[in-house]
Amino acid sequence: MSIQTRTQLQASALTITNETTAGANTAARVGGLFDDLADTATLNRERGFGSLSVSGNTNFTPTSNQSVKLTIAMDEGILSTYNFSINKSTCVITYTGIAGAALKVSANLTFAGGNNREFEWYIAKNGSTIASSKAGITMSHDNGHSIYFETYVTAAVNDEFTIYVKSIDSAQAITIQSLNFTAVTL
Protein backbone atom coordinates (compact mmCIF):
# COMPACT_ATOMS: atom_id res chain seq x y z
CA MET A 1 0.00 0.00 0.00
CA SER A 2 1.60 3.29 1.02
CA ILE A 3 3.13 5.33 3.79
CA GLN A 4 0.48 7.54 5.38
CA THR A 5 0.51 10.44 7.80
CA ARG A 6 -0.86 9.89 11.28
CA THR A 7 -3.91 12.01 10.34
CA GLN A 8 -4.58 9.87 7.25
CA LEU A 9 -4.34 6.65 9.28
CA GLN A 10 -6.68 8.02 11.95
CA ALA A 11 -9.19 9.05 9.26
CA SER A 12 -9.12 5.55 7.74
CA ALA A 13 -9.55 3.95 11.14
CA LEU A 14 -12.48 6.29 11.94
CA THR A 15 -14.16 5.45 8.62
CA ILE A 16 -13.87 1.74 9.34
CA THR A 17 -15.08 2.24 12.91
CA ASN A 18 -18.16 4.20 11.76
CA GLU A 19 -19.18 1.74 9.03
CA THR A 20 -21.22 -0.66 11.06
CA THR A 21 -23.63 -1.95 8.44
CA ALA A 22 -23.08 -5.53 7.42
CA GLY A 23 -20.56 -5.84 4.61
CA ALA A 24 -19.49 -2.19 4.76
CA ASN A 25 -16.00 -3.04 6.00
CA THR A 26 -14.59 -5.24 3.31
CA ALA A 27 -11.51 -7.37 3.72
CA ALA A 28 -9.74 -5.10 1.23
CA ARG A 29 -10.55 -1.97 3.27
CA VAL A 30 -9.57 -3.44 6.64
CA GLY A 31 -6.54 -5.23 5.19
CA GLY A 32 -5.53 -2.05 3.38
CA LEU A 33 -5.53 -0.14 6.66
CA PHE A 34 -3.26 -2.75 8.21
CA ASP A 35 -0.96 -2.60 5.18
CA ASP A 36 -0.77 1.18 5.51
CA LEU A 37 -0.08 0.87 9.24
CA ALA A 38 2.73 -1.60 8.58
CA ASP A 39 4.24 0.59 5.87
CA THR A 40 4.05 3.68 8.06
CA ALA A 41 4.77 2.58 11.60
CA THR A 42 8.21 2.32 13.14
CA LEU A 43 8.38 -1.35 13.91
CA ASN A 44 11.00 -3.42 15.68
CA ARG A 45 11.97 -4.89 12.31
CA GLU A 46 13.12 -1.44 11.28
CA ARG A 47 15.46 -1.11 14.22
CA GLY A 48 18.78 -2.82 13.82
CA PHE A 49 22.08 -3.57 15.47
CA GLY A 50 25.30 -4.98 14.08
CA SER A 51 28.59 -5.58 15.83
CA LEU A 52 32.02 -7.07 15.36
CA SER A 53 34.54 -7.87 18.09
CA VAL A 54 38.04 -9.06 18.85
CA SER A 55 38.49 -10.93 22.09
CA GLY A 56 42.16 -11.82 21.91
CA ASN A 57 45.47 -10.21 21.02
CA THR A 58 45.71 -9.32 17.35
CA ASN A 59 48.63 -7.47 15.78
CA PHE A 60 48.24 -4.67 13.25
CA THR A 61 50.84 -2.38 11.69
CA PRO A 62 49.53 1.10 10.89
CA THR A 63 51.12 3.39 8.32
CA SER A 64 53.11 6.34 9.65
CA ASN A 65 51.24 9.67 9.38
CA GLN A 66 48.44 8.26 7.24
CA SER A 67 44.94 7.13 8.22
CA VAL A 68 44.53 3.50 7.19
CA LYS A 69 41.68 1.04 7.47
CA LEU A 70 41.98 -1.44 10.31
CA THR A 71 42.25 -4.81 8.57
CA ILE A 72 42.22 -7.59 11.12
CA ALA A 73 40.16 -10.73 11.43
CA MET A 74 37.25 -10.12 13.77
CA ASP A 75 34.56 -12.24 15.37
CA GLU A 76 30.89 -11.88 14.62
CA GLY A 77 29.12 -10.06 17.37
CA ILE A 78 25.41 -9.52 17.70
CA LEU A 79 23.52 -8.99 14.48
CA SER A 80 19.85 -8.12 14.43
CA THR A 81 17.84 -9.66 11.66
CA TYR A 82 17.20 -6.31 9.99
CA ASN A 83 19.18 -3.38 8.60
CA PHE A 84 22.79 -4.55 8.89
CA SER A 85 25.25 -7.03 7.51
CA ILE A 86 28.69 -7.66 8.93
CA ASN A 87 31.87 -8.90 7.31
CA LYS A 88 34.27 -10.20 9.91
CA SER A 89 37.14 -10.71 7.47
CA THR A 90 37.14 -7.08 6.25
CA CYS A 91 36.00 -5.36 9.50
CA VAL A 92 32.97 -3.81 7.79
CA ILE A 93 29.46 -3.14 9.05
CA THR A 94 27.06 -2.33 6.21
CA TYR A 95 23.71 -0.59 6.65
CA THR A 96 21.18 -2.57 4.57
CA GLY A 97 17.87 -0.96 5.58
CA ILE A 98 15.17 -0.13 3.07
CA ALA A 99 15.60 3.63 3.49
CA GLY A 100 18.09 6.09 4.94
CA ALA A 101 18.36 6.20 8.71
CA ALA A 102 20.12 7.91 11.59
CA LEU A 103 22.82 5.69 13.10
CA LYS A 104 25.17 5.66 16.04
CA VAL A 105 28.45 3.98 15.09
CA SER A 106 31.02 3.39 17.82
CA ALA A 107 34.14 1.48 18.77
CA ASN A 108 35.60 0.60 22.15
CA LEU A 109 39.06 -0.91 22.15
CA THR A 110 42.10 -1.69 24.23
CA PHE A 111 45.46 -1.74 22.49
CA ALA A 112 49.15 -1.73 23.34
CA GLY A 113 52.06 -0.06 21.59
CA GLY A 114 55.33 1.64 22.40
CA ASN A 115 55.53 4.29 25.10
CA ASN A 116 55.10 7.92 23.88
CA ARG A 117 53.53 6.86 20.58
CA GLU A 118 50.61 8.95 19.37
CA PHE A 119 47.50 7.62 17.62
CA GLU A 120 44.29 8.95 16.11
CA TRP A 121 41.29 6.63 15.73
CA TYR A 122 38.27 7.28 13.48
CA ILE A 123 35.01 5.82 12.24
CA ALA A 124 34.90 5.90 8.44
CA LYS A 125 31.87 5.91 6.16
CA ASN A 126 32.47 4.47 2.69
CA GLY A 127 36.23 4.86 3.15
CA SER A 128 36.19 8.49 4.29
CA THR A 129 37.04 9.22 7.92
CA ILE A 130 34.48 11.19 9.91
CA ALA A 131 36.27 14.05 11.67
CA SER A 132 33.77 14.22 14.54
CA SER A 133 34.58 10.63 15.49
CA LYS A 134 38.30 11.32 16.03
CA ALA A 135 39.79 10.13 19.31
CA GLY A 136 43.47 10.75 19.93
CA ILE A 137 45.78 9.20 22.48
CA THR A 138 49.45 9.43 23.39
CA MET A 139 50.70 6.25 24.99
CA SER A 140 51.99 6.78 28.53
CA HIS A 141 53.32 3.22 28.85
CA ASP A 142 53.59 0.13 26.67
CA ASN A 143 50.71 -1.78 28.28
CA GLY A 144 47.09 -1.63 27.17
CA HIS A 145 45.30 1.69 26.74
CA SER A 146 41.52 1.94 26.34
CA ILE A 147 39.84 4.32 23.96
CA TYR A 148 36.24 4.93 22.89
CA PHE A 149 35.07 6.84 19.83
CA GLU A 150 31.71 7.30 18.17
CA THR A 151 29.75 9.26 15.62
CA TYR A 152 26.14 9.93 14.75
CA VAL A 153 25.46 9.86 11.01
CA THR A 154 22.73 9.67 8.44
CA ALA A 155 23.24 6.47 6.49
CA ALA A 156 22.01 5.62 3.04
CA VAL A 157 21.30 2.06 2.00
CA ASN A 158 24.56 0.08 1.56
CA ASP A 159 26.79 2.60 3.35
CA GLU A 160 29.82 0.82 4.82
CA PHE A 161 31.38 1.65 8.17
CA THR A 162 34.93 0.79 9.16
CA ILE A 163 37.62 1.80 11.64
CA TYR A 164 40.68 3.81 10.65
CA VAL A 165 43.85 4.44 12.64
CA LYS A 166 46.62 6.96 12.13
CA SER A 167 49.96 6.41 13.84
CA ILE A 168 51.85 9.68 14.22
CA ASP A 169 55.52 9.33 13.21
CA SER A 170 55.70 5.54 13.54
CA ALA A 171 54.87 2.43 11.54
CA GLN A 172 55.52 -0.01 14.38
CA ALA A 173 53.00 -2.76 15.09
CA ILE A 174 50.37 -2.39 17.78
CA THR A 175 48.53 -5.17 19.60
CA ILE A 176 44.77 -4.89 19.75
CA GLN A 177 43.73 -6.66 22.93
CA SER A 178 39.97 -6.16 22.71
CA LEU A 179 37.66 -4.37 20.32
CA ASN A 180 33.90 -3.90 20.02
CA PHE A 181 32.69 -2.15 16.87
CA THR A 182 28.95 -1.46 16.67
CA ALA A 183 26.32 0.30 14.57
CA VAL A 184 22.72 0.80 15.67
CA THR A 185 19.74 2.56 14.12
CA LEU A 186 18.27 5.36 16.21
Side-chain angles (χ1 to χ4, degrees), residues 129-151:
T129 58
I130 301 169
S132 64
S133 70
K134 176 184 166 185
I137 188 170
T138 300
M139 308 294 272
S140 59
H141 52 77
D142 59 4
N143 296 320
H145 284 70
S146 293
I147 193 162
Y148 176 81
F149 48 108
E150 70 181 5
T151 191

Side-chain angles (χ1 to χ4, degrees), residues 53-172:
S53 65
V54 171
S55 57
N57 289 350
T58 303
N59 291 327
F60 179 75
T61 304
T63 303
S64 180
N65 293 316
Q66 181 181 351
S67 295
V68 294
K69 181 182 173 209
L70 185 64
T71 54
I72 60 172
M74 298 183 80
D75 299 319
E76 290 181 10
I78 298 172
L79 177 65
S80 66
T81 55
Y82 300 99
N83 290 337
F84 291 97
S85 67
I86 54 178
N87 187 324
K88 64 183 184 177
S89 64
T90 60
C91 310
V92 173
I93 298 175
T94 303
Y95 174 69
T96 59
I98 59 173
L103 304 181
K104 175 185 174 185
V105 184
S106 62
N108 185 7
L109 69 106
T110 303
F111 72 105
N115 190 22
N116 294 319
R117 289 183 60 198
E118 185 178 351
F119 296 90
E120 294 174 351
W121 293 88
Y122 299 88
I123 303 292
K125 175 181 170 183
N126 299 324
S128 296
T129 58
I130 301 169
S132 64
S133 70
K134 176 184 166 185
I137 188 170
T138 300
M139 308 294 272
S140 59
H141 52 77
D142 59 4
N143 296 320
H145 284 70
S146 293
I147 193 162
Y148 176 81
F149 48 108
E150 70 181 5
T151 191
Y152 292 85
V153 296
T154 301
V157 177
N158 295 321
D159 276 350
E160 293 184 345
F161 297 92
T162 53
I163 297 172
Y164 273 61
V165 59
K166 180 178 181 181
S167 179
I168 309 299
D169 296 329
S170 176
Q172 296 175 354

